[in-house]
C-alpha cells in the first residue's frame, strides 16, 4: 500500500514516527518549508524523521498547488494521510489517492469541527472529549469517521497542553491500527451523526488578551486554553511590560481580598494574586515577560 504523509506540526511528527515504527513507512512526506514555520506555534520539522527512514520530502506552501499535486501524482498513492495540516485539500488533491484521504481532528466529531479546537474545548468547559480520524470530503471535518477515541477530562483544571498530549496519545494508537485494517481490505467509514454538530472559529494570538473585568472562572479558562503549545494568554503591567501567563489557580481565600479588576492583591515569591471583575481572585503561578512580578496594588491592563 503506497501512502503520502502530509503535515507540519508536533502531532504530525508524533504520527509519522508512530506509523514508521510499525512498518507503515510513507512513500513521500509533504510539509511546510522551514521558512514558513511561523504559521504554526507547534511547528515541527519532519525532515529528520523522513531522512531516518529514507522518505523523500516535498516542501510546499500550498498543498493544492500544481507542483505539489504533480509530485503526489507521481507516487500513485493508495492513501494520503493529512495529519496536522491547516489547509483545505481540494478535489484535485483528494483525487490522487485511490482509496481516499484520511485526516485527523482533536475532537469527538461531529462536535467541535473547525479551527482552534483544543483552546475552544477548554474555554467551553467540555467534559467528554476525544480525537477522530476521518475521510476528507468537501466540507470542514465532516467526512465519514474512520476511527475515534473518547475520554473524559476535568473542565476545571485541564490545560491546552494536556488536551494536546491526550489527542496525540490517541493518534498514535488509532492511526497504526487503522492502517493495519486498510491494508487488510477493511475500510471503516461511518457517517457522522447529523445531530450535535458545532463549528469552531479560528483563534489568533491576540485573542489571548485578558480582560480583567471578566469573571475569574472565565479568565482561568482562557489562561489554560491559550497556553502551550499555543502563544499564551497575556496582559500588561502598569509600566507597559507584556506578561504571558502560563499557570493559574483559583485563590484559596475567596472573599478575603478586596480590590479593583486587574489589581495585584498579594505577592509570594514569583506567585501573585489578581482581582477579577466578579470580585474573585486568581493566583498566577507561572509567567514570562518581566524580571519580577508586578508591584503590589498596581493594576494590570489590556494595552501597553
Amino acid at each position: 500500500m503506497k501512502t503520502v504523509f502530509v503535515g507540519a506540526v508536533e502531532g504530525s511528527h508524533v504520527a509519522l514516527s508512530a506509523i514508521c515504527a510499525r512498518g507503515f513507512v510513507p512513500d513521500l512526506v509533504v510539509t511546510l518549508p522551514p521558512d514558513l514555520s511561523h504559521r504554526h506555534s507547534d511547528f515541527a520539522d519532519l525532515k529528520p524523521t523522513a531522512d531516518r527512514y529514507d522518505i523523500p520530502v516535498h516542501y510546499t506552501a500550498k498543498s493544492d498547488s500544481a507542483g505539489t499535486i504533480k509530485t503526489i501524482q507521481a507516487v500513485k498513492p493508495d492513501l494520503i494521510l493529512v495529519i496536522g495540516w491547516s489547509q483545505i485539500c481540494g478535489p484535485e488533491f483528494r483525487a490522487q489517492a485511490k482509496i481516499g484521504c484520511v485526516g485527523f481532528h482533536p475532537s469527538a466529531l461531529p462536535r467541535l469541527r473547525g479551527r482552534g479546537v483544543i483552546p475552544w474545548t477548554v474555554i467551553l468547559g467540555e467534559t467528554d472529549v476525544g480525537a477522530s480520524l476521518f475521510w476528507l470530503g468537501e466540507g470542514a471535518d465532516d467526512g465519514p469517521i474512520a476511527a475515534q477515541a473518547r475520554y473524559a477530562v476535568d473542565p476545571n483544571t485541564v490545560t491546552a497542553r494536556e488536551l494536546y498530549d491526550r489527542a496525540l496519545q490517541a493518534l498514535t494508537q488509532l492511526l497504526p491500527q487503522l492502517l493495519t485494517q486498510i491494508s487488510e481490505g477493511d475500510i471503516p467509514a461511518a457517517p457522522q451523526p447529523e445531530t450535535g454538530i458545532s463549528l469552531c472559529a479560528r483563534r489568533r494570538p491576540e485573542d489571548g488578551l485578558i480582560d480583567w473585568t471578566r469573571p475569574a472562572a472565565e479568565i482561568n479558562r482562557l489562561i489554560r486554553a491559550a497556553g502551550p503549545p499555543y502563544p499564551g494568554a497575556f496582559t500588561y503591567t502598569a509600566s507597559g511590560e507584556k506578561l504571558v501567563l502560563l499557570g493559574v489557580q483559583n485563590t484559596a481565600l475567596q472573599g478575603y481580598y478586596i480590590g479593583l479588576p486587574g489589581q495585584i492583591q498579594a505577592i509570594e515569591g514569583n506567585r501573585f494574586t489578581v482581582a477579577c471583575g466578579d470580585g474573585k481572585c486568581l493566583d498566577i503561578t507561572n509567567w514570562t515577560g518581566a524580571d519580577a512580578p508586578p508591584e503590589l496594588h498596581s493594576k494590570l491592563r489590556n494595552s501597553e
Side-chain angles (χ1 to χ4, degrees):
M1 183 170 67
K2 289 189 173 183
T3 60
V4 171
F5 187 96
V6 183
V9 299
E10 184 181 342
S12 314
H13 173 261
V14 168
L16 179 60
S17 300
I19 63 174
C20 286
R22 292 282 293 271
F24 295 105
V25 178
D27 297 272
L28 175 69
V29 165
V30 177
T31 189
L32 285 176
D35 63 340
L36 294 181
S37 62
H38 61 274
R39 288 187 180 180
H40 299 282
S41 58
D42 57 342
F43 174 83
D45 184 0
L46 302 187
K47 194 171 189 308
T49 301
D51 288 347
R52 191 176 309 128
Y53 290 94
D54 296 321
I55 309 169
V57 174
H58 173 75
Y59 289 111
T60 185
K62 189 175 181 182
S63 49
D64 276 355
S65 68
T68 297
I69 289 175
K70 184 178 180 180
T71 302
I72 293 174
Q73 194 173 49
V75 175
K76 298 180 179 179
D78 298 291
L79 196 66
I80 299 177
L81 305 175
V82 184
I83 310 294
W85 190 255
S86 61
Q87 302 174 32
I88 295 293
C89 298
E92 189 177 8
F93 176 98
R94 299 195 307 272
Q96 303 310 312
K98 296 176 185 176
I99 298 173
C101 301
V102 173
F104 175 72
H105 195 69
S107 81
L109 293 170
R111 181 148 178 81
L112 303 181
R113 295 173 179 171
R115 307 287 294 273
V117 173
I118 287 177
W120 281 121
T121 300
V122 179
I123 288 170
L124 292 171
E126 296 286 301
T127 58
D128 180 22
V129 300
S132 307
L133 290 169
F134 66 101
W135 297 96
L136 299 188
E138 291 288 344
D141 310 318
D142 61 357
I145 300 295
Q148 189 174 85
R150 299 184 76 108
Y151 35 91
V153 296
D154 184 346
N156 298 312
T157 60
V158 71
T159 65
R161 180 75 260 175
E162 290 167 355
L163 279 180
Y164 196 101
D165 290 344
R166 187 65 185 86
L168 295 192
Q169 181 183 350
L171 177 59
T172 59
Q173 295 170 350
L174 294 175
L175 188 55
Q177 293 172 2
L178 178 62
L179 292 178
T180 299
Q181 283 182 264
I182 294 173
S183 67
E184 294 173 350
D186 178 11
I187 304 175
Q192 292 191 31
E194 295 183 2
T195 58
I197 298 171
S198 56
L199 182 65
C200 298
R202 180 177 182 178
R203 295 187 63 85
R204 299 178 183 275
E206 56 266 31
D207 297 323
L209 179 61
I210 297 170
D211 177 357
W212 292 102
T213 67
R214 303 302 299 168
E218 182 180 318
I219 297 172
N220 185 320
R221 289 194 298 270
L222 177 60
I223 293 171
R224 290 185 284 114
Y230 308 112
F234 62 97
T235 188
Y236 294 93
T237 66
S239 59
E241 291 180 293
K242 180 179 179 180
L243 296 181
V244 179
L245 308 186
L246 303 174
V248 62
Q249 293 178 354
N250 294 327
T251 301
L253 297 175
Q254 293 295 348
Y256 178 78
Y257 296 109
I258 298 174
L260 299 168
Q263 193 168 34
I264 307 302
Q265 301 296 294
I267 300 172
E268 184 178 350
N270 280 332
R271 180 190 187 109
F272 58 91
T273 301
V274 191
C276 302
D278 58 355
K280 296 181 179 180
C281 294
L282 294 174
D283 293 336
I284 305 305
T285 60
N286 187 18
W287 49 275
T288 62
D291 294 330
E295 292 183 5
L296 185 64
H297 299 160
S298 67
K299 288 178 63 179
L300 299 175
R301 56 195 195 186
N302 58 9
S303 62
E304 295 183 56

